[in-house]
Amino acid sequence: MEPLSVAKPKEDGMICRLVTGKIGLVDTFWGAYMLGGMLFNITIAAVNDTDVLFILNMLYAVYILIVCIAVWKAASLFQGKIYWAILAKIVAALSIVHGLILLIALPIAMMGH
């Protein structure tokens, strides 16, 4: 009788590793949250069209919510000094509130426009 072959699980993709916090707190916070957020904000600041601004801000809100979940999970897995994890979670929580406000308030504001 031949032994069953055990397939190796595939390595998670970059986005899956990011969202599950497996990339690490430093890379998630400074790379995805800070750098990604700055790139979004620079792009948003350069646009003058209202419809494009609405779309970019909605995309930014979704992006920041996903990245904040990643930051929270990475902070939960963080093995370094606890205050870095706590500070990252505070920033993530505040940014989640901000992202939710954008997702709710912008469509309401655009309806009245």
Side-chain angles (χ1 to χ4, degrees), residues 2-57:
E2 291 183 35
L4 295 173
S5 63
V6 178
K8 278 181 134 180
K10 288 173 125 181
E11 180 67 29
D12 290 339
M14 177 82 141
I15 293 174
C16 184
R17 287 180 37 235
L18 174 74
V19 174
T20 57
K22 293 178 183 173
I23 289 181
L25 181 58
V26 173
D27 292 336
T28 303
F29 184 84
W30 291 105
Y33 178 82
M34 292 299 290
L35 184 59
M38 280 192 276
L39 291 174
F40 255 109
N41 284 306
I42 289 168
T43 304
I44 289 168
V47 173
N48 291 322
D49 183 85
T50 307
D51 293 331
V52 175
L53 278 172
F54 173 76
I55 292 167
L56 285 174
N57 274 294

Side-chain angles (χ1 to χ4, degrees), residues 76-92:
S76 296
L77 298 173
F78 188 61
Q79 297 293 312
K81 297 186 179 182
I82 190 71
Y83 57 84
W84 291 123
I86 292 169
L87 289 171
K89 284 184 174 185
I90 290 169
V91 170

